[in-house]
Amino acid sequence: RNWVTVPAVPMDQKTKLAKVNKVLGRTGNTGNVTQVRVEFMNDDSDGMGGRSIVRNVKGPVREGDILCLLEWEREARRLR
């Protein structure tokens, strides 16, 4: 199950594709947010190819999934 879900965003808004490498754990008051480590897909034109960051994801996610990130410069705080 590896598919890309592209949200309805204006065409002029930039997005980045990132692959989930590792699921780190659940967070949030009710545990409805999953913290994951993602690696940006190869797009060496902007120097982001291969870079890895931690993100929070709402909804079902597992290793190997591909996320479409609307905002890619901010990294989530790590779980304690």
Side-chain angles (χ1 to χ4, degrees), residues 28-66:
N29 286 341
T30 59
N32 60 350
V33 177
T34 307
Q35 202 163 62
V36 297
R37 177 164 295 281
V38 299
E39 183 175 331
F40 290 103
M41 306 293 273
N42 287 340
D43 184 11
D44 294 329
S45 62
D46 57 4
M48 298 284 286
R51 182 173 165 223
S52 176
I53 65 171
V54 175
R55 291 298 299 242
N56 292 331
V57 178
K58 191 167 186 175
V61 65
R62 61 182 174 185
E63 291 183 22
D65 284 355
I66 300 195

Side-chain angles (χ1 to χ4, degrees), residues 1-5 18-20 23 26 34 36 57-68:
R1 179 199 108 173
N2 289 334
W3 65 76
V4 176
T5 302
K19 183 176 182 180
V20 176
V23 176
R26 307 286 272 186
T34 307
V36 297
V57 178
K58 191 167 186 175
V61 65
R62 61 182 174 185
E63 291 183 22
D65 284 355
I66 300 195
L67 305 177
C68 181

